[in-house]
Amino acid sequence: MKILSKDAQRTKAITPKIISAGVTAVLAVGGIALATQQAQAFSALAVVNGITSSGGVGVSKDILYGDEPSQDLDIYYPKPLAQAMKAQTTIQQNYPMVVFVHGGSWENGNKEEYAFVGQSLAQAGYVTAVINYRKAPAHVYPDYVEDTAQAIAWSYKNAERFHADPKRLAVVGHSSGAFNAVAAVANEDFLAPYGIKPKDIKTVVGIAGPYSYDFRKFDSVTAFAADATPDEVMPDRQIKGEQPPYLLLTAEKDKVVYPTNTIKMTKALQEAGVTVQTGEIAGASHATSIGAMAPPLRWVNDVRAQVVSYLDKTLK
């Protein structure tokens, strides 16, 4: 990744590019086989992005939140904000903000593949940061959680530059990204180096996250140190500091991450005195539990409706 100078970064940060994805109506929705297996989910992302209408939202690309490769993010703007920024008119309104953390077994995926999430949330009225982070096996736990915490803190501290309100900032993650999001906030030690606390975050939303499992029995073992144990790394065993409320969603037909993860995480948070709301995405597989965030696919399941409804009540 090209490391940008501060001046170049500033230029990227304040100059939105209006996305012109367009909806390709001739794409047969039935042909979008968002399968239950995670590997198949990633191959479907290009299709999802291809049919997602930009809805007039804007985006600033490749903004650095750190000094290492992959420590960058894209910011998506709601249509009225994108139009005002493009016209260089006075902007008086501050918008709520979401930091989105993508999944991929800590080894795959990038912010470009999840552009449809940024577009979808921006269409719902949220300034949205879709982040990259360092990947395994070159970077094992806690590197990717530390990156997530750094991106969250950077977004909090820089929210006003993007006409967002840091006091109305939510963190949303899917799959391993939900692990990152929950781990980065649930243990105050991850945010502490950047001068913020878990309570500074308004809420956390985890979608189909693996918060409590023995990674040593799965292929994802390569994302953790050779001598690591679940007790040392699983978020349900690492809750520290005063917490914001959480929404934890499971996918009804998930064959990749099982509901026991959410059950155990919910119990641990509740025992720590944290407010937790849970929900099930009816009919959803692991893949469609994020794929249906794309507005053209909202008929597949109600994940977008559940997430946006919760964010609206919590942030607006």
Side-chain angles (χ1 to χ4, degrees):
M1 182 190 75
K2 182 179 180 181
I3 303 298
L4 301 178
S5 67
K6 290 184 179 179
D7 289 339
Q9 176 178 318
R10 189 175 299 112
T11 300
K12 283 181 175 287
I14 64 176
T15 308
K17 304 172 185 176
I18 303 302
I19 308 170
S20 58
V23 178
T24 307
V26 293
L27 270 174
V29 181
I32 303 171
L34 291 175
T36 58
Q37 294 303 313
Q38 196 169 31
Q40 291 174 294
F42 301 123
S43 64
L45 293 178
V47 180
V48 172
N49 282 313
I51 68 170
T52 300
S53 171
S54 68
V57 305
V59 61
S60 296
K61 301 283 290 182
D62 305 324
I63 304 169
L64 304 181
Y65 67 80
D67 299 325
E68 298 291 331
S70 295
Q71 291 182 334
D72 62 349
L73 52 82
D74 297 338
I75 301 281
Y76 292 83
Y77 308 98
K79 182 177 180 179
L81 177 56
Q83 291 176 331
M85 293 174 73
K86 185 176 181 181
Q88 298 184 8
T89 58
T90 301
I91 301 169
Q92 297 180 338
Q93 178 183 356
N94 276 344
Y95 290 76
M97 187 173 192
V98 173
V99 176
F100 177 74
V101 192
H102 71 78
S105 299
W106 299 285
E107 294 188 0
N108 304 293
N110 58 58
K111 58 184 176 60
E112 285 75 23
E113 292 178 344
Y114 290 83
F116 68 94
V117 178
Q119 293 167 3
S120 181
L121 292 173
Q123 288 175 31
Y126 296 91
V127 172
T128 304
V130 180
I131 75 167
N132 273 334
Y133 51 88
R134 291 173 295 171
K135 304 293 194 303
H139 292 277
V140 298
Y141 178 93
D143 287 5
Y144 40 77
V145 178
E146 291 175 348
D147 285 1
T148 301
Q150 187 172 356
I152 293 169
W154 185 96
S155 298
Y156 178 87
K157 293 179 179 179
N158 289 276
E160 293 179 354
R161 293 174 54 196
F162 305 101
H163 309 286
D165 182 357
K167 295 181 180 179
R168 294 186 291 156
L169 186 149
V171 181
V172 179
H174 173 254
S175 190
S176 57
F179 173 101
N180 290 9
V182 170
V185 178
N187 184 343
E188 65 180 2
D189 291 346
F190 283 111
L191 291 173
Y194 309 107
I196 70 170
K197 300 178 180 180
K199 199 65 175 179
D200 291 326
I201 307 306
K202 190 68 174 179
T203 191
V204 178
V205 178
I207 306 170
Y211 318 111
S212 182
Y213 80 111
D214 191 344
F215 54 85
R216 296 169 298 185
K217 300 178 181 179
F218 297 88
D219 290 343
S220 54
V221 65
T222 56
F224 300 89
D227 59 349
T229 67
D231 285 344
E232 295 171 327
V233 302
M234 286 296 120
D236 67 327
R237 296 155 229 188
Q238 301 293 324
I239 301 171
K240 183 178 180 181
E242 188 178 4
Q243 297 292 312
Y246 286 71
L247 170 65
L248 301 179
L249 299 176
T250 57
E252 180 187 15
K253 298 181 179 180
D254 199 333
K255 303 300 182 184
V256 178
V257 175
Y258 290 97
T260 52
N261 287 275
T262 291
I263 293 170
K264 291 179 179 179
M265 190 72 223
T266 299
K267 181 181 179 182
L269 286 167
Q270 290 175 336
E271 289 177 349
V274 182
T275 300
V276 187
Q277 181 176 327
T278 61
E280 182 181 76
I281 310 164
S285 67
H286 193 71
T288 61
S289 66
I290 191 62
M293 282 295 294
L297 296 180
R298 64 179 64 177
W299 62 270
V300 174
N301 60 61
D302 69 347
V303 62
R304 186 177 189 272
Q306 288 198 52
V307 171
V308 170
S309 175
Y310 177 81
L311 292 177
D312 286 350
K313 287 185 290 187
T314 307
L315 301 185
K316 290 186 177 179

